[in-house]
Amino acid sequence: MFSALCRRLLPLALGACFTASSFAASVPAGAIANQQARYIATYFPGRMTGSPAEMLSADYVRQQFALMGYESDIRTFNSRYIYTSKDKRQNWHKVTGSTVIAAHEGKASQQIIVMAHLDTYAPHSDADTENNLGGLTLQGIDDNAMGVGVMLELAERLKNIPTEYSIRFIATSGEEEGKLGADNLLKRMSAEEKKNTLLVINLDNLVVGDKLYFNSGKSTPASVRKLTRDRALKIAHRHGIQAAINPGLNANYPKGTACCNDAEVFDNAGIPVLSVEATNWSLGKKDGFQQRAKTRSFPDGTSWHNVRLDNLQYIDKALPGRIEHRGRDVVNIMLPLMKELAKAGK
């Protein structure tokens, strides 16, 4: 299957078939993330939890990790979410999600988790379907193919670098149905594994938002925030990248804290987290849910779940160069940060 995929990608300058370690070192930061994200969005639209597209995309990501030399597997889980019909009747919709896990083993027992959800939005109601939210044609380049692409590039660039701490790269499922995959992942972790998890980094919605934000969990200790969130901001500013933290204009979300993604599951369990996203915490209800100022291209100030807006053709036209730009910026920040946090050797 993979060789066939490679042949289909051959016309691309960089492609999605990264097999030589020297290749990653020779290409610009973000190039791998860009091509992986574009490939996932193009060939696996409608990655709804439990759908054939999600299972195929999970297998693709697993193969990418395997080609890098990682031990990688797919863990399935059974769950459900509520679907609301036009007449307000609610029914449970059962799903089987696929979570991909790859391991970069370190010398010590402690670990850092890097996550990005692979699934796209599944309609939760008849109203969602009528409004073109989610479904079989949603490419989800912003939400969240680019997050997965960045994770794959970090894995590629770190694969031959020895680290003191282990790194787990995880493509989660079921995020759009209520963080189902992250919740299942946490439940499967032993008490010892939870204790040894130093940090969970979540990559989500990296493209459309006005600027990058680095936010910690509410339960993340100040000492960890300094080494993670604050350090990320310093690296960003050193590269001339506009980045910020949640300004704390909403009392429900204190300054510098994250909201409403897979990282929240681990934050609630008392595990330190770092949420990486692109949005605008100073607009709308000041909760990060309005990604950018309202314009003709983005009349609601968002692209979330919208089949017409969250696709490659539309974003390339409305925000030319943004996909490449954000991939480069996030990698330029996260790669040196990851090396510091995992205590990478030469």
Side-chain angles (χ1 to χ4, degrees):
M1 174 182 175
F2 184 76
S3 60
L5 296 181
C6 284
R7 286 195 295 272
R8 290 163 72 185
L9 270 181
L10 195 57
L12 298 177
L14 296 176
C17 308
F18 307 109
T19 58
S21 59
S22 60
F23 179 74
S26 67
V27 299
I32 297 172
N34 173 46
Q35 294 299 332
Q36 289 283 18
R38 286 179 178 276
Y39 188 86
I40 291 169
T42 300
Y43 290 104
F44 306 110
R47 303 179 299 280
M48 298 174 290
T49 306
S51 68
E54 189 220 25
M55 289 185 282
L56 287 170
S57 62
D59 190 58
Y60 172 77
V61 171
R62 182 196 62 78
Q63 291 183 60
Q64 293 299 291
F65 282 132
L67 284 169
M68 297 177 202
Y70 288 102
E71 292 289 335
S72 178
D73 65 351
I74 297 176
R75 295 182 184 177
T76 60
F77 64 91
N78 297 316
S79 193
R80 60 181 185 170
Y81 64 94
I82 290 177
Y83 187 93
T84 304
S85 62
K86 275 185 179 180
D87 57 9
K88 305 301 180 183
R89 287 187 298 177
Q90 293 186 325
N91 296 293
W92 284 107
H93 188 83
K94 295 182 179 179
V95 293
T96 299
S98 301
T99 295
V100 189
I101 301 177
H104 179 291
E105 298 298 344
K107 298 176 184 178
S109 58
Q110 289 88 352
Q111 69 174 359
I112 295 169
I113 293 175
V114 181
M115 292 192 312
H117 75 87
L118 184 60
D119 61 304
T120 53
Y121 187 76
H124 287 50
S125 65
D126 289 343
D128 279 353
T129 302
E130 291 174 357
N131 287 298
N132 291 318
L133 299 180
L136 295 172
T137 59
L138 177 59
Q139 287 191 341
I141 181 65
D142 180 48
D143 190 15
N144 181 41
M146 179 52 77
V148 177
V150 168
M151 180 180 67
L152 287 171
E153 176 159 348
L154 292 174
E156 173 68 31
R157 294 185 184 276
L158 288 167
K159 68 181 184 182
N160 293 323
I161 299 176
T163 57
E164 183 70 19
Y165 302 134
S166 296
I167 304 171
R168 296 287 186 271
F169 297 101
I170 303 176
T172 61
S173 175
E175 193 270 354
E176 299 291 5
E177 282 69 58
K179 315 173 192 69
L180 303 180
D183 185 62
N184 179 265
L185 182 69
L186 180 67
K187 288 178 179 177
R188 291 190 181 194
M189 293 171 65
S190 66
E192 188 69 16
E193 191 175 4
K194 292 175 185 176
K195 180 182 177 182
N196 286 332
T197 300
L198 303 177
L199 180 71
V200 174
I201 298 171
N202 191 67
L203 304 164
D204 198 3
N205 296 111
L206 301 176
V207 178
V208 171
D210 280 331
K211 56 187 174 184
L212 290 173
Y213 284 83
F214 294 86
N215 291 316
S216 297
K218 294 179 182 179
S219 62
T220 302
S223 58
V224 178
R225 294 184 186 191
K226 183 177 180 180
L227 293 172
T228 58
R229 181 193 68 191
D230 298 349
R231 181 60 181 151
L233 292 176
K234 287 183 179 179
I235 296 172
H237 297 156
R238 188 177 70 204
H239 283 281
I241 300 168
Q242 187 180 23
I245 62 172
N246 157 24
L249 301 177
N250 188 319
N252 293 323
Y253 312 109
K255 184 176 180 178
T257 61
C259 161
C260 318
N261 54 41
D262 275 345
E264 191 174 24
V265 171
F266 295 88
D267 183 29
N268 291 337
I271 297 173
V273 305
L274 175 65
S275 175
V276 184
E277 64 178 351
T279 186
N280 195 321
W281 278 82
S282 298
L283 294 174
K285 298 179 181 179
K286 304 177 180 64
D287 54 12
F289 287 167
Q290 187 172 332
Q291 296 171 286
R292 56 187 302 105
K294 295 180 180 180
T295 62
R296 176 181 291 183
S297 297
F298 299 95
D300 295 321
T302 67
S303 65
W304 278 316
H305 311 152
N306 192 310
V307 171
R308 186 176 65 86
L309 304 183
D310 192 3
N311 68 73
L312 288 164
Q313 183 178 6
Y314 191 87
I315 292 178
D316 278 340
K317 182 178 179 180
L319 300 170
R322 172 62 67 83
I323 295 172
E324 292 80 0
H325 177 83
R326 278 288 164 74
R328 181 186 69 238
D329 284 354
V330 178
V331 170
N332 274 331
I333 297 168
M334 294 308 301
L335 183 59
L337 181 66
M338 287 294 303
K339 290 180 179 177
E340 290 179 11
L341 294 175
K343 295 187 177 182
K346 294 183 180 180

